[in-house]
Amino acid sequence: MIFRIIFFLLVYVPFMLIAIPVQAVLARFALPGWTVIPRIFHRLGAAFLGMRVTVLGKPARGKPTLIVSNHISWTDIVAVGSVADVTFVAKQEVGRWPFVGFMASLQRTLYVDRTRRSDAHRSSREMGQRMAAGGPVLLFAEGQSDVGTHVLPFRSALVGAAQHAMVEAGAGEVLLQPLTIAYTRLQGLPVSRTDRSLIAWIRSKSVKENLLEILTGGMKDVTLAFGTPHVLTAASNRKVITKQAEDEVRRRLVALNRGLPLPEFETRA
């Protein structure tokens, strides 16, 4: 804990004092290079939180891309953001969290108000515009976080909203890429079910309790497995393609939690 405090005061704080004003201008006007500072910020965040990130596969590049992923904790954002330049889709409440919401906005995070159906069109339209402009968007497709032992059903309606929005934005097709996030080791040992309360965002606990456990937890090994992208067009069956992505993420999560190899990534290598 002492190391983290020193790291925060001597490295993190000076970086933020310099980077935040610069990033505010870059993000406000969507200037080239606006993704550089968030990438550095997340890499420092990974070091601060004691996260070792392993990447299998590669994020899709060069085409409008919607990445659909399982969700375990807010540290997922730090892990993914440290290795990939993506736009995150978050619930509206995140934008109101002290500091976290401010930093999320600097990364041009898209917010969704799940309590208002009328907000769905606005948020999906923004997603479509961001993808049509070539920026990958990451959607936690379960719609909520879970402890990391299994995958909740992906919400095809969220994928469908992006599907319609990208057509409106002028993109003929979008790549739908499944991403599996797995926390595999804690302090060098395989993560047990009990350990997951120190990693996952547990809804039965207060925000303070969750933050304290995550900030004071030990070294965590995180694996990000980017699957093969699927082509999503206006004619694609959103329920079928969403279920396919969900099944892929579930299979890989089970394998990674059990310490089993993923043959498809060994073949690619």
Side-chain angles (χ1 to χ4, degrees), residues 26-28 30 34 87-88 103-110 130:
L26 294 176
R28 173 66 179 81
W34 71 269
T87 294
F88 293 97
M103 297 306 298
S105 296
L106 288 182
Q107 196 171 348
R108 303 179 69 202
T109 295
L110 301 177
R130 197 68 59 85

Side-chain angles (χ1 to χ4, degrees), residues 13-231:
V13 171
F15 171 78
M16 288 188 291
L17 290 175
I18 297 172
I20 286 177
V22 176
Q23 180 63 13
V25 174
L26 294 176
R28 173 66 179 81
F29 298 101
L31 297 175
W34 71 269
T35 61
V36 175
I37 290 177
R39 176 81 74 94
I40 299 173
F41 174 80
H42 287 306
R43 286 184 177 177
L44 292 175
F48 171 67
L49 294 170
M51 297 170 62
R52 292 184 291 236
V53 182
T54 299
V55 180
L56 301 177
K58 296 179 180 179
R61 298 179 182 275
K63 290 186 177 181
T65 303
L66 176 65
I67 300 173
V68 288
S69 171
N70 62 312
H71 189 26
I72 299 170
S73 172
W74 63 269
T75 55
D76 299 348
I77 296 174
V78 178
V80 177
S82 70
V83 300
D85 298 328
V86 302
T87 294
F88 293 97
V89 179
K91 58 185 180 181
Q92 193 74 32
E93 304 91 278
V94 173
R96 296 192 290 267
W97 289 359
F99 183 69
V100 174
F102 175 69
M103 297 306 298
S105 296
L106 288 182
Q107 196 171 348
R108 303 179 69 202
T109 295
L110 301 177
Y111 298 109
V112 179
D113 186 349
R114 296 172 185 161
T115 63
R116 297 173 54 195
R117 294 180 63 87
S118 59
D119 190 61
H121 183 68
R122 175 202 61 79
S123 56
S124 61
R125 184 176 64 251
E126 290 183 2
M127 288 172 58
Q129 291 172 345
R130 197 68 59 85
M131 287 187 290
V137 172
L138 189 146
L139 178 67
F140 293 118
E142 296 164 299
Q144 63 185 59
S145 61
D146 197 60
V147 294
T149 55
H150 58 284
V151 175
L152 300 175
F154 281 9
R155 297 187 177 183
S156 63
L158 299 175
V159 175
Q163 183 181 29
H164 293 301
M166 64 93 180
V167 173
E168 292 180 4
E173 62 182 34
V174 164
L175 296 181
L176 184 78
Q177 183 172 35
L179 166 63
T180 304
I181 302 174
Y183 292 78
T184 56
R185 303 182 79 82
L186 181 65
Q187 290 292 75
L189 298 174
V191 177
S192 66
R193 181 175 290 271
T194 303
D195 293 333
R196 294 200 176 278
S197 65
L198 304 176
I199 297 173
W201 190 268
I202 308 299
R203 289 186 296 278
S204 61
K205 297 181 181 179
S206 68
V207 172
K208 181 179 179 180
E209 289 174 321
N210 274 295
L211 286 174
L212 184 62
E213 288 185 343
I214 292 172
L215 290 174
T216 58
M219 292 290 296
K220 296 172 280 290
D221 287 275
V222 190
T223 298
L224 306 178
F226 290 89
T228 302
H230 305 278
V231 176

